Amino acid sequence: MSEAEAELRASVERAAKILEDLVRDNKDVLEPDVRLDMKIGEIATLIALEKGEAFKVNVHRQTLPPIAIVVRTTWTLRHLRRAIAVQFTRKNPSLNIRWNHFWRSHVLAVDGQRMDQPPTGHNQEALSKPFRLSNYGAGPGSVLTFVKVLARRKRRSRAAKKQEFRETACE
């Protein structure tokens, strides 16, 4: 066995020990929610829920039953999207969804405010930094819904296209 393999094996054993310690120390609180297919981060999020550092939100899908997701207070929209993808894939393993395509055509909304726009009270320049979910008004028991995004194409007349072609061809 090479040195790299031995190091990897030791890392895996340390991670397994940490997981066992987390579950053992919080067994009375976590027992109904812990599943065998959970990752260390998910168990840590459940512990944060019990400590008040996280909360549950419900993601309503039009005709399908809602999904309850545990969200940390420091999470951004990117973290929430990843958690939704993991939860949905776990519940429907036979479906193969291209999440990048899905997020291009759908947006999450809380209380009618789309989460792809800056939160109320923030200006357009603030979009360069990611906002926490609490900035959008998401809190314990919030209901998030999916909103379909309609693609808007810039339509140009045939004359404008010809003019642009002429300008680029002459250069």
Side-chain angles (χ1 to χ4, degrees):
M1 179 175 359
S2 71
E3 184 179 329
E5 291 174 343
E7 188 175 319
L8 177 64
R9 186 176 300 253
S11 296
V12 169
E13 289 173 3
R14 281 193 305 264
K17 179 149 178 46
I18 291 170
L19 180 61
E20 288 173 13
D21 292 343
L22 278 173
V23 172
R24 186 175 3 110
D25 294 344
N26 298 291
K27 189 172 186 171
D28 56 333
V29 175
L30 298 175
E31 193 161 351
D33 295 329
V34 174
R35 296 179 313 276
L36 293 175
D37 61 345
M38 292 182 84
K39 308 237 186 293
I40 293 174
E42 292 172 306
I43 293 174
T45 302
L46 286 176
I47 293 170
L49 177 66
E50 295 302 322
K51 291 180 179 178
E53 299 168 359
F55 53 89
K56 281 189 179 183
V57 295
N58 291 317
V59 179
H60 282 258
R61 306 172 295 161
Q62 290 151 357
T63 58
L64 301 171
I67 297 176
I69 296 184
V70 178
V71 176
R72 286 182 174 252
T73 55
T74 58
W75 276 10
T76 62
L77 185 57
R78 189 175 90 192
H79 295 107
L80 178 62
R81 286 178 175 178
R82 191 173 299 141
I84 289 171
V86 167
Q87 189 83 357
F88 188 80
T89 305
R90 185 173 287 141
K91 287 188 177 192
N92 304 304
S94 61
L95 293 178
N96 187 13
I97 295 176
R98 297 183 316 169
W99 288 102
N100 287 336
H101 176 71
F102 179 82
W103 292 121
R104 271 188 251 131
S105 59
H106 292 80
V107 175
L108 284 168
V110 58
D111 296 330
Q113 180 183 356
R114 289 173 44 162
M115 292 180 140
D116 64 338
Q117 300 167 348
T120 307
H122 291 83
N123 56 11
Q124 195 68 19
E125 293 92 35
L127 278 177
S128 60
K129 68 171 191 163
F131 290 104
R132 292 184 177 175
L133 296 175
S134 58
N135 291 57
Y136 291 103
S142 292
V143 176
L144 305 175
T145 55
F146 289 112
V147 177
K148 180 86 170 153
V149 176
L150 300 176
R152 290 191 292 174
R153 292 186 181 184
K154 182 179 176 184
R155 297 189 144 222
R156 296 180 299 160
S157 67
R158 181 177 284 183
K161 289 178 185 177
K162 284 183 180 180
Q163 181 65 28
E164 182 182 342
F165 178 76
R166 286 185 194 124
E167 291 173 359
T168 57
C170 293
E171 295 176 0

